[in-house]
Amino acid sequence: MNELGDEDHIIDDATIKQWSQPFREWHYFPHHVIKAKPGIQGFDNISMTDVPTIYQIPSDDDTDDRVEQWFMSFVGFDGSGYQSFVAKSKNLVDWTEPRLAFGYGKKGDFDYGGRVLG
């Protein structure tokens, strides 16, 4: 027994190997899927990206394109401030149609200077 009065629970090697089997032999993709300078049309001054967040919009309709569609939001820095972008993918490696999600507001507005999602 441990100090809490519970029996010590030891997980045997066979159980650990069984639980971890689905996660073996996977690897990280060797290249950045969003480059530091992503080359987004109209946003050529973005020089750094960060905080990639992957998500899917749920749908009960199997014919809905969103079933096989992934989205990634990420932050872009242009030397002055931050803006949020969204891209989409069907394979989690090739990301297309990057577009502005949240950019700079007018002077005096809450998003003046840039805001980000995340």
Side-chain angles (χ1 to χ4, degrees), residues 43-58:
F43 298 93
D44 298 327
N45 55 349
I46 299 295
S47 60
M48 289 185 265
T49 59
D50 200 3
V51 198
T53 304
I54 310 295
Y55 59 96
Q56 207 173 23
I57 299 173

Side-chain angles (χ1 to χ4, degrees), residues 21-106:
Q21 181 61 42
F23 307 103
R24 291 198 198 127
E25 298 184 33
W26 65 278
H27 63 278
Y28 291 102
F29 190 70
H31 306 289
H32 294 281
V33 293
I34 293 293
K35 298 176 183 175
K37 295 181 180 184
I40 301 169
Q41 187 174 1
F43 298 93
D44 298 327
N45 55 349
I46 299 295
S47 60
M48 289 185 265
T49 59
D50 200 3
V51 198
T53 304
I54 310 295
Y55 59 96
Q56 207 173 23
I57 299 173
S59 175
D60 292 333
D61 181 359
D62 289 342
T63 63
D64 191 335
D65 285 344
R66 292 179 300 176
V67 171
E68 295 181 15
Q69 189 71 61
W70 294 90
F71 297 91
M72 174 173 42
S73 65
F74 60 97
V75 174
F77 181 70
D78 65 5
S80 298
Y82 298 90
Q83 301 177 81
S84 290
F85 297 87
V86 174
K88 62 184 183 176
S89 174
K90 290 192 181 267
N91 63 11
L92 298 172
V93 173
D94 301 306
W95 294 90
T96 62
E97 300 180 43
R99 58 198 178 276
L100 183 67
F102 207 7
Y104 294 124
K106 297 176 186 172

